[in-house]
Amino acid sequence: MSLDRRFFLKTLGVSGSVLSGITNDHILRIRDSHGSIDWAEVRALFPISQWEKIHFNSGSAGVMPTPVQEHLFDLIRHMNGVAPYEAWSQWQKIRKSNISRLAAMIQADPEELTIVRNTTEALNMIIYGLPLTPDDEIIYSNNIYPFAKNAWDNRAVRESFKSKEVSYTLPMSDDEIVSVYRQAITPATKYIHITHMTHREGHIMPIGQIADLAAEHNIELIIDGAHAIGQIDVSVAHEAICYYASSLHKWLNAPHGSGLLYVQKDKIKTLQNHPSSYPQMQSSIDKYEHIGTRAFHQEIGISAALDFHEDIGFTNKKARLQELKHYWTNQMKDIPGVTFHTDLSDDKSCAITTLSLDSMSGHVLAKRLDQEYDIHAKVVGSTWGQGIRISVNIFTSFAELDRLAQALTALATE
């Protein structure tokens, strides 16, 4: 590696050939002469900003900035330049550091957290690992992610337990949402499965209030935080928040195929072991690491994403996402035939906004945006009907948002 590629942080323990972090050049570029974030320079670090289409679907999967990609490529080269398990052994300190840094982000103990491939995998470990009897009841809502619902339904085919789906249409007030769950709880309720930020509307759920409600009834919370980490504040420091799953490749801009699983320490031993783990590991979160050979470089590459996230600053990032959200939605608020299905208040949403047009379905709208305006958006639907989900990101420009607003206005008023 040439001297101009040297990195400013800790080494990966690999004889100086592969280092962790982002380059000094990258750090200098993202701040102006006053030390403020230069968002144009941040945008330039994301190759997707050069795509022929405008990308408004970070909600499905995020993308890595150049420094994270370069770091990952270095890791791949090293893993293929030595015996792969030798690289894995060398990287253990960095893996543990990644876990500690992630744990600090969500106010958890590192011994309660492990790295997985995505939210779905983490939820499967929870759902299939929980002890359930025929008398136990679980509650989830119509806002659950489909793959998570499938996991519950598939387990229910093989085992007897009670499941209850509550239904409500977002946006709603915190008190209204909590009331729905309060009315659904019975003496048999053992678990509530809830989404931290809904994947359709981007609604931030009142996790604290629901956790308080759960604690009143000795109920354990399972939280799907796929869209939370890297976008909004997350804390698992509540007695009722026993399980938390998230993806790091969405809003932390980490390598694809990276996520986390949190299990409250005293609950680890009650979750069934991973099928390939050792019986004596029942009380250790490490029991979920025995899945054989995998893309070890993906897990280690999280370090560069954490560096990038910290260099920008989470407070700066959240403020920027809110600024971008309000910039384009303010242009659309008074356009006839446009309905927002997202509460645009800062405490109820962040980067994700969903809307629909009276004049066409979400599928037609997304197709026309793509074909006529080179705008890439996600089709979503719920009890309110069908629309599109727009996800801004720190690489989004105001010019792109102007183009989005102009396109939607033209389609809504034609």
Side-chain angles (χ1 to χ4, degrees):
M1 180 182 297
S2 61
L3 290 177
D4 63 356
R5 289 290 313 283
R6 66 187 183 278
F7 291 76
F8 77 105
L9 293 178
K10 57 192 176 298
T11 70
L12 280 174
V14 184
S15 305
S17 62
V18 182
L19 304 174
S20 171
I22 62 175
T23 64
N24 288 312
D25 288 343
H26 289 315
I27 297 171
L28 293 173
R29 282 178 57 188
I30 64 174
R31 292 188 180 272
D32 62 23
S33 59
H34 303 289
S36 299
I37 298 297
D38 186 332
W39 294 108
E41 291 292 352
V42 171
R43 172 178 167 80
L45 291 176
F46 283 87
I48 199 165
S49 65
Q50 302 303 312
W51 190 31
E52 62 186 20
K53 297 182 183 296
I54 302 175
H55 183 54
F56 286 123
N57 190 21
S58 292
S60 290
V63 292
M64 292 175 283
T66 298
V68 178
Q69 292 183 40
E70 291 176 349
H71 177 55
L72 184 61
F73 297 156
D74 286 339
L75 294 170
I76 294 172
R77 280 189 286 268
H78 180 73
M79 186 171 169
N80 288 275
V82 300
Y85 273 90
E86 179 66 17
W88 183 231
S89 177
Q90 293 169 341
W91 291 341
Q92 286 308 297
K93 288 184 179 179
I94 297 305
R95 186 177 188 278
K96 290 180 180 178
S97 174
N98 287 346
I99 289 176
S100 293
R101 294 168 76 183
L102 290 167
M105 287 181 69
I106 65 173
Q107 299 183 11
D109 186 317
E111 294 183 359
E112 300 173 309
L113 189 149
T114 191
I115 295 171
V116 295
R117 287 175 290 189
N118 51 54
T119 305
T120 298
E121 181 173 59
L123 287 174
N124 283 340
M125 291 175 175
I126 298 166
I127 292 169
Y128 278 90
L130 291 170
L132 285 167
T133 71
D135 294 327
D136 292 332
E137 177 183 72
I138 64 103
I139 295 174
Y140 56 78
S141 82
N142 60 305
N143 295 297
I144 190 173
Y145 188 66
F147 289 3
K149 184 179 186 303
N150 291 346
W152 283 116
D153 291 347
N154 288 331
R155 182 174 178 183
V157 169
R158 302 186 307 193
E159 303 175 46
S160 296
F161 60 88
K162 302 171 185 176
S163 61
K164 180 186 295 181
E165 179 176 327
V166 296
S167 182
Y168 49 90
T169 300
L170 296 170
M172 291 173 64
S173 71
D174 289 352
D175 288 344
E176 289 173 322
I177 293 172
V178 173
S179 178
V180 170
Y181 287 96
R182 186 181 298 279
Q183 294 175 36
I185 290 172
T186 71
T189 306
K190 190 170 184 179
Y191 304 105
I192 293 178
H193 179 129
I194 191 166
T195 304
H196 195 162
M197 174 185 280
T198 63
H199 67 283
R200 298 184 184 98
E201 301 89 358
H203 188 94
I204 302 172
M205 302 295 282
I207 295 299
Q209 291 174 247
I210 294 173
D212 289 342
L213 173 65
E216 291 175 21
H217 298 272
N218 198 31
I219 294 169
E220 298 177 9
L221 276 190
I222 304 159
I223 302 179
D224 176 345
H227 290 277
I229 293 180
Q231 183 180 176
I232 60 174
D233 293 316
V234 176
S235 174
V236 297
H238 191 291
E239 61 178 316
I241 300 178
C242 300
Y243 315 94
Y244 197 98
S246 190
S247 294
L248 306 178
H249 60 257
K250 289 182 183 286
W251 298 98
L252 195 62
N253 303 113
H256 300 110
S258 61
L260 67 80
L261 166 66
Y262 161 84
V263 182
Q264 200 175 87
K265 190 171 293 186
D266 64 344
K267 304 298 180 184
I268 295 173
K269 62 180 179 295
T270 65
L271 276 184
Q272 183 177 332
N273 269 14
H274 190 281
S276 56
S277 66
Y278 295 102
Q280 60 265 34
M281 300 187 72
Q282 182 65 40
S283 297
S284 172
I285 195 72
D286 294 344
K287 64 187 179 182
Y288 293 112
E289 297 178 14
H290 290 258
I291 59 173
T293 304
R294 55 195 184 276
F296 300 133
H297 49 271
Q298 304 290 90
E299 297 184 34
I300 305 306
I302 294 168
S303 62
L306 288 167
D307 291 342
F308 188 76
H309 177 78
E310 291 166 5
D311 288 329
I312 288 177
F314 196 21
T315 299
N316 294 328
K317 181 177 180 179
K318 289 183 293 183
R320 178 63 172 181
L321 293 175
Q322 293 287 357
E323 179 184 24
L324 294 169
K325 175 188 72 176
H326 290 300
Y327 180 81
W328 80 269
T329 56
N330 284 339
Q331 297 183 52
M332 301 299 303
K333 285 181 177 178
D334 298 322
I335 304 300
V338 176
T339 302
F340 284 101
H341 302 285
T342 299
D343 185 330
L344 300 176
S345 306
D346 287 358
D347 63 333
K348 297 295 187 295
S349 64
C350 189
I352 297 173
T353 306
T354 295
L355 60 79
S356 61
L357 300 188
D358 293 346
S359 57
M360 64 188 75
S361 69
H363 281 292
V364 172
L365 175 57
K367 183 177 181 179
R368 293 193 62 182
L369 285 173
D370 181 78
Q371 294 182 347
E372 299 174 27
Y373 298 94
D374 288 330
I375 291 174
H376 179 64
K378 171 72 173 178
V379 179
V380 293
S382 187
T383 53
W384 43 259
Q386 191 185 85
I388 60 168
R389 183 184 70 194
I390 299 296
S391 303
V392 298
N393 210 316
I394 53 175
F395 54 76
T396 305
S397 70
F398 290 122
E400 289 176 328
L401 294 174
D402 286 336
R403 185 168 166 184
L404 171 66
Q406 291 164 6
L408 289 171
T409 299
L411 293 172
T413 58
E414 65 180 9

